[in-house]
Amino acid sequence: MPKKVVIGMSGGVDSSVAAHILQKQGYEVIGLFMRNWDSMINNDIEGNPNLENDICPQEQDYNDALAVCKELGIPLHRVDFIKEYWDNVFTYFLEELKKGRTPNPDLMCNKYIKFDVFIKEARKLGADYIATGHYARIDGCKLYRGLDRNKDQSYFLAQVTPNQLKDVLFPIGDLEKREVRAIADELKLTTAKKKDSTGICFIGERNYQKFIQNYLKPNPGNIINVDTKEIIGRHNGLMNYTIGQRRNVGISGYADKHFVVGKNVAKNELYVAFGEDPESLYSDECLIDQVNFISPNHPTFCTAKFRYRGPDNEVILEYLDNNEILVRYPQKVKAVTPGQACVLYLGEQCLGSGIIKEVRKNSENLWYLS
């Protein structure tokens, strides 16, 4: 009797092809679509005049997932995790913004939704294995980068525990994106030409600042030139800015290139530096907490990615009390940002991650600039 695999069907091409591959491998495949966000709430808040005529992106994703499952001849179940997503992902997102940080909700979605409540729901359906369309590879409970380095998603999985990775399959982890598209084209799947989703899932195509203002009251404050200490403008709420940002900062009359380099939540101040490559954007160490190791290997030397599209940086780890790690990078790195994940690698293996708590240069905390 074939083993049963429950796969998360997102309505995209990656999960579609992943389901097909599992079928070819002889598994009994069952699709499960997760509804994590009530898009109608935001439409009501924002007064969408086309509410009755538009199909929200999430519903379109479900329709696409349903169409693909029919094309593949597999059943599709639908489950709502709206409350769980709100409690564990969106609330976290808002709380981090209040602290002046730049959170990454995708990591928490994987930790608390896709590899927690989803797995529990899949077990109810009799799953022997759980699968997703992530570009990552797994060996036992060890996590490795996806073969396609441009699409590798191990970064977003780095807060998942080894126990959560038990009995998990990543069918497209050994493929490049072009190969996935080619398979979908050959099968004439509904999702073959569908564009990849980008950005934060619950915001979608909405204006970020307008969306956030539905939940966090704007709190304008001063923009400070970090070098001269002069007030050069007004910001419209620290939650709207991130370290390294150089567009839509909100200062006028300055032709020179400028970047956001820091925030002070207590003073409600935004710090900006001028120049092509300001020195104040660089740091040489950071403190990470919420540390999660997937691997039992806890090295002193490894590499780290400080953002999804960022490069691998050689780092030195100093293990501290309270499950914190001091991450040193003497070569200096640009725009390391509190709230983002510091994901640790040893070659192709993803060791785990922590959330950046402080960013320092010469042992001084750059984040608050107090």
Side-chain angles (χ1 to χ4, degrees), residues 43-233:
N43 285 330
D44 288 341
I45 290 173
E46 296 170 16
N48 184 350
N50 299 316
L51 184 61
E52 293 183 359
N53 299 321
D54 287 351
I55 298 177
C56 77
Q58 188 171 232
E59 287 305 306
Q60 185 60 57
D61 288 340
Y62 172 72
N63 290 339
D64 291 341
L66 187 60
V68 167
C69 286
K70 288 180 179 177
E71 289 162 357
L72 296 177
I74 64 174
L76 179 66
H77 298 264
R78 175 171 172 154
V79 63
D80 281 0
F81 292 140
I82 294 172
K83 182 182 185 304
E84 291 86 351
Y85 192 92
W86 182 280
D87 292 345
N88 295 295
V89 181
F90 190 63
T91 298
Y92 167 84
F93 176 77
L94 295 180
E95 290 302 315
E96 287 289 282
L97 289 179
K98 289 177 186 177
K99 295 174 185 175
R101 302 186 182 190
T102 303
N104 193 320
D106 288 337
L107 276 92
M108 298 305 157
C109 181
N110 282 326
K111 181 175 183 176
Y112 293 111
I113 306 300
K114 294 180 181 177
F115 293 88
D116 187 1
V117 291
F118 173 86
I119 290 178
K120 293 171 183 174
E121 194 68 26
R123 296 297 186 198
K124 294 178 185 177
L125 296 173
D128 297 299
Y129 297 100
I130 288 86
T132 69
H134 282 96
Y135 286 87
R137 292 176 291 172
I138 197 164
D139 182 4
C141 292
K142 293 180 180 179
L143 179 66
Y144 294 87
R145 305 178 200 251
L147 185 70
D148 189 335
R149 293 293 283 268
N150 290 321
K151 299 299 293 184
D152 167 49
Q153 292 173 304
S154 59
Y155 180 93
F156 297 114
L157 297 165
Q159 278 284 306
V160 175
T161 67
N163 189 55
Q164 288 175 297
L165 290 174
K166 184 181 178 183
D167 300 327
V168 168
L169 304 172
F170 296 133
I172 63 171
D174 290 308
L175 299 178
E176 294 186 354
K177 183 73 179 196
R178 60 179 178 80
E179 295 176 289
V180 170
R181 288 283 186 194
I183 292 170
D185 279 332
E186 183 180 349
L187 296 171
K188 295 182 172 54
L189 296 179
T190 295
T191 54
K193 304 294 185 185
K194 187 174 181 179
K195 290 175 60 177
D196 292 341
S197 59
T198 58
I200 300 173
C201 58
F202 47 78
I203 296 177
E205 300 299 321
R206 298 181 183 86
N207 178 280
Y208 174 83
Q209 293 190 11
K210 287 183 179 180
F211 174 85
I212 293 301
Q213 287 175 15
N214 291 323
Y215 303 95
L216 298 179
K217 184 179 178 180
N219 186 21
N222 290 328
I223 301 175
I224 310 293
N225 183 324
V226 73
D227 296 311
T228 66
K229 313 304 180 187
E230 295 176 309
I231 297 173
I232 57 174

Side-chain angles (χ1 to χ4, degrees), residues 104 107 155 305-307 337 339-343 353-356:
N104 193 320
L107 276 92
Y155 180 93
K305 287 170 70 77
F306 296 108
R307 59 185 64 224
T337 304
Q340 290 286 289
C342 169
V343 179
S353 70
I355 304 302
I356 300 167

Side-chain angles (χ1 to χ4, degrees), residues 272-317:
V272 170
F274 289 80
E276 289 293 324
D277 195 24
E279 175 63 23
S280 50
L281 261 182
Y282 288 82
S283 60
D284 55 27
E285 63 184 43
C286 67
L287 183 68
I288 62 174
D289 61 6
Q290 302 179 55
V291 174
N292 172 69
F293 270 103
I294 302 169
S295 169
N297 189 2
H298 298 181
T300 303
F301 300 94
C302 63
T303 63
K305 287 170 70 77
F306 296 108
R307 59 185 64 224
Y308 172 49
R309 292 296 186 187
D312 283 52
N313 301 276
E314 294 184 353
V315 297
I316 305 164
L317 306 181

